[in-house]
């Protein structure tokens, strides 16, 4: 990924030119990249199978003001011989992982967290009977041990275990806030929410004053819902505001939809998010 003869300017031109979604990058990010002086690229994770090949790359840039900026690239192809490679760019690791989950057969791969890196895990037990994973106080774990994947075959048992997750008491988890376009991150989280009772303008207005945030993956697991596999992932997006206050958005990502489509729902409390997961698991 690192060509010693390629300038940073040429590298960025190639990277942005091949990305299918480069137009969706924040304008501020593209403007900052104009001052990039040096770069380094590395393989972050990979998943190869007969039907899907994907890899994520981390591209780090040193800017003229002494700061650093990171882009996350998802490279994927489908078919028995790999097919045509497609490239996507994201500004946050959580976003590239979400994009990977939306690929064909991608949700199980997204839930498998044995790849290096990953979002900070949580001490909450994952839904549908997965084993408790290790937890870290803050930052990125070196590796996360995956729990069992796939449904148990018994819808009632799967739901009972999901209900245990929803009833689990919260545990304190120290956060490491990262000041990185947090207000824009909050805007994008709210924009992708599809639930009718998603946070409104009052919450959006408060989050415009956020300057740092921390993302925690609370749980990730597949269940049998309505006779079909459905994946559930719960995130906490915690934001630090200019006045020192903290506010969290709770995002539920799932495929418990009639056509198996990936859907995101966002709530202002963990309790409401867990109730939404329970409701989705009951639909049969």
């Amino acid at each position: 990924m690192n060509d010693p003869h390629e300038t940073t300017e040429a590298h960025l031109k190639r990277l942005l030119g091949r990305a299918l979604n480069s137009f969706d990058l924040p304008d501020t990010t593209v403007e900052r990249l104009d001052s990039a002086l040096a770069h380094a690229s590395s393989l972050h994770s990979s998943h190869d199978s007969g039907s899907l090949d994907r890899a994520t790359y981390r591209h780090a840039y040193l800017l003229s003001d002494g700061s650093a900026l990171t882009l996350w690239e998802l490279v994927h192809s489908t078919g028995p011989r790999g097919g045509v490679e497609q490239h996507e760019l994201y500004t946050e690791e959580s976003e590239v992982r979400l994009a990977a989950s939306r690929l064909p057969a991608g949700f199980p791969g997204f839930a498998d967290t044995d790849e290096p890196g990953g979002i900070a895990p949580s001490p909450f037990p994952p839904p549908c009977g997965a084993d408790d994973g290790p937890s870290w106080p803050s930052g990125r774990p070196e590796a996360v041990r995956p729990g069992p994947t796939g449904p148990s075959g018994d819808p009632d048992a799967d739901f009972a275990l999901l209900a245990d997750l929803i009833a689990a008491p919260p545990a304190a988890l120290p956060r490491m806030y990262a000041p990185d376009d947090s207000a824009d991150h909050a805007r994008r989280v709210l924009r992708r929410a599809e639930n009718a009772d998603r946070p409104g303008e009052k919450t959006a207005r408060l989050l415009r004053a956020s300057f740092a945030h921390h993302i925690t993956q609370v749980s990730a697991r597949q269940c049998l819902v309505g006779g079909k596999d459905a994946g559930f992932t719960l995130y906490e997006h915690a934001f630090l505001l200019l006045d020192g206050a903290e506010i969290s958005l709770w995002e539920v990502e799932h495929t418990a939809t009639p056509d198996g489509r990936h859907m995101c729902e966002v709530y202002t409390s963990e309790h409401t998010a867990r109730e939404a997961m329970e409701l989705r698991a009951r639909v049969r």
Side-chain angles (χ1 to χ4, degrees):
M1 291 298 295
N2 287 299
D3 182 350
H5 303 291
E6 183 178 45
T7 65
T8 298
E9 182 181 5
H11 168 80
L12 275 170
K13 183 177 180 180
R14 179 168 58 88
L15 194 67
L16 295 173
R18 71 191 181 196
L20 299 174
N21 64 333
S22 57
F23 61 87
D24 199 36
L25 291 174
D27 292 340
T28 54
T29 298
V30 177
E31 291 171 0
R32 292 181 66 200
L33 286 170
D34 287 339
S35 67
L37 302 175
H39 70 279
S41 301
S42 59
L43 176 66
H44 182 68
S45 66
S46 65
H47 171 84
D48 300 321
S49 68
S51 59
L52 172 68
D53 295 336
R54 66 168 170 82
T56 57
Y57 294 88
R58 182 178 184 271
H59 303 281
Y61 301 92
L62 176 64
L63 308 185
S64 59
D65 61 2
S67 63
L69 189 151
T70 299
L71 289 180
W72 299 88
E73 182 181 26
L74 173 63
V75 182
H76 59 90
S77 58
T78 57
R81 298 191 177 183
V84 178
E85 281 192 349
Q86 295 185 326
H87 301 255
E88 302 174 27
L89 283 177
Y90 300 91
T91 57
E92 298 190 27
E93 182 183 356
S94 61
E95 292 180 337
V96 77
R97 289 171 62 84
L98 174 59
S101 78
R102 290 172 171 165
L103 297 176
F107 205 102
F110 174 71
D112 293 342
T113 51
D114 55 334
E115 298 169 349
I119 300 174
S122 163
F124 292 114
C128 303
D131 294 335
D132 291 353
S135 61
W136 292 261
S138 61
R140 180 189 300 168
E142 294 183 1
V144 182
R145 184 180 301 277
T149 59
S152 68
D154 183 348
D156 292 324
D158 285 334
F159 171 70
L161 290 167
L162 179 59
D164 288 341
L165 165 70
I166 296 167
L173 184 65
R175 300 188 178 106
M176 182 179 291
Y177 284 101
D180 186 13
D181 294 329
S182 300
D184 187 61
H185 172 74
R187 179 185 61 82
R188 282 180 277 129
V189 171
L190 292 173
R191 184 178 62 184
R192 63 178 176 245
E194 297 185 48
N195 52 308
D197 54 345
R198 60 186 176 273
E201 178 57 31
K202 180 180 179 181
T203 300
R205 187 166 54 250
L206 285 173
L207 289 170
R208 292 189 191 112
S210 62
F211 70 94
H213 65 281
H214 176 86
I215 306 170
T216 300
Q217 180 178 311
V218 176
S219 64
R221 185 62 180 156
Q222 283 189 278
C223 302
L224 196 64
V225 177
K228 299 179 181 179
D229 287 350
F232 288 86
T233 307
L234 177 62
Y235 294 97
E236 180 190 11
H237 301 263
F239 297 89
L240 185 62
L241 307 185
L242 291 172
D243 61 2
E246 295 177 289
I247 184 173
S248 290
L249 295 178
W250 297 86
E251 182 177 25
V252 177
E253 298 171 3
H254 65 85
T255 55
T257 51
D259 56 357
R261 180 181 62 86
H262 191 282
M263 180 178 180
C264 293
E265 303 178 23
V266 178
Y267 302 91
T268 55
S269 74
E270 180 183 8
H271 176 72
T272 307
R274 290 177 180 274
E275 283 188 335
M277 292 173 66
E278 180 180 2
L279 177 62
R280 290 293 180 181
R282 285 184 181 273
V283 176
R284 301 185 180 175

